[in-house]
Amino acid sequence: MNTPAALVTLAGFGAWHGLNPAMGWLFAVARGMQAQSGRVVAASLGPIALGHAAAVALAVALFAAGRFALPFGPLRYATAALVVAFGALKLVRPKHPRWVGMRLGPRELALWSFLMATAHGAGLMILPIFLLGEGAEAPPCRGECVAAPGLDLTGWAGYLVGVGVHTGAMLAASGLVALVVYYRVGLAVLRRAWWNLDPLWALGLIASGALALWL
């Protein structure tokens, strides 16, 4: 997978994560309605995105450690197996971390988001994208080869950019949904027309792990 396609995929995963109410926008709306302030909704989004980014970065850091410790083949199969197994577990036992109370400061809100993203395997879902970047082979060339311009998603700089692109898309999607729900839709409508995304989230994890083996 080339770098532009990988970045688009990471952004797509970020948007998908942002649309999932379990990743934070529903909590942001609830806090805003409790305080009767749209500013509280907007202020909640930053810590939520920060916690999400920390969870994703932790998963990527562990992946980077495995990259230096294992050959690509075993790393590929181990990563894919872990993502698929976690997705299967979430499909069978979709549990959510519980947090008591709505009056959380920015630190507690970021910690809540970190725990939710970690428990749902948000970081695991994007690991196959970095894995495909690690396994990509450079095209053959004749004579003197010149490095192509652009960003390589291997190495720490690439990892940081990938996490940033993913988190930016997550923040944009969750912010849009939160503000629309707060100002236009309201939580009462969600109670009447609620769609449980947990099965789709679990299937997304399984599909992401399978992608690492297929490509």
Side-chain angles (χ1 to χ4, degrees), residues 160-190:
L160 289 175
V161 171
V163 172
V165 168
H166 173 83
T167 304
M170 178 267 177
L171 178 60
S174 61
L176 178 62
V177 174
L179 294 175
V180 168
V181 171
Y182 179 80
Y183 285 108
R184 296 294 181 184
V185 179
L187 292 180
V189 174
L190 295 182

Side-chain angles (χ1 to χ4, degrees), residues 76-173:
R76 175 187 183 188
Y77 290 113
T79 301
L82 176 62
V83 177
V84 171
F86 193 88
L89 178 63
K90 297 300 293 183
L91 191 63
V92 176
R93 300 179 62 185
K95 290 186 176 181
H96 300 265
R98 297 186 180 275
W99 196 287
V100 179
M102 286 287 176
R103 298 190 179 280
L104 304 179
R107 293 180 183 178
E108 292 83 2
L109 191 56
L111 177 59
W112 173 88
S113 176
F114 173 82
L115 293 175
M116 288 295 291
T118 301
H120 282 78
L124 293 179
M125 189 179 290
I126 71 169
L127 288 187
I129 307 304
F130 292 100
L131 184 67
L132 293 175
E134 294 288 344
E137 296 181 355
C141 60
R142 296 179 179 178
E144 184 178 355
C145 294
V146 179
L151 174 70
D152 185 1
L153 283 183
T154 61
W156 289 109
Y159 295 154
L160 289 175
V161 171
V163 172
V165 168
H166 173 83
T167 304
M170 178 267 177
L171 178 60

Side-chain angles (χ1 to χ4, degrees), residues 50-91:
L50 181 61
H52 187 92
V56 171
L58 176 60
V60 173
L62 293 175
F63 168 79
R67 170 178 172 263
F68 289 106
L70 297 172
F72 176 74
L75 177 65
R76 175 187 183 188
Y77 290 113
T79 301
L82 176 62
V83 177
V84 171
F86 193 88
L89 178 63
K90 297 300 293 183
L91 191 63

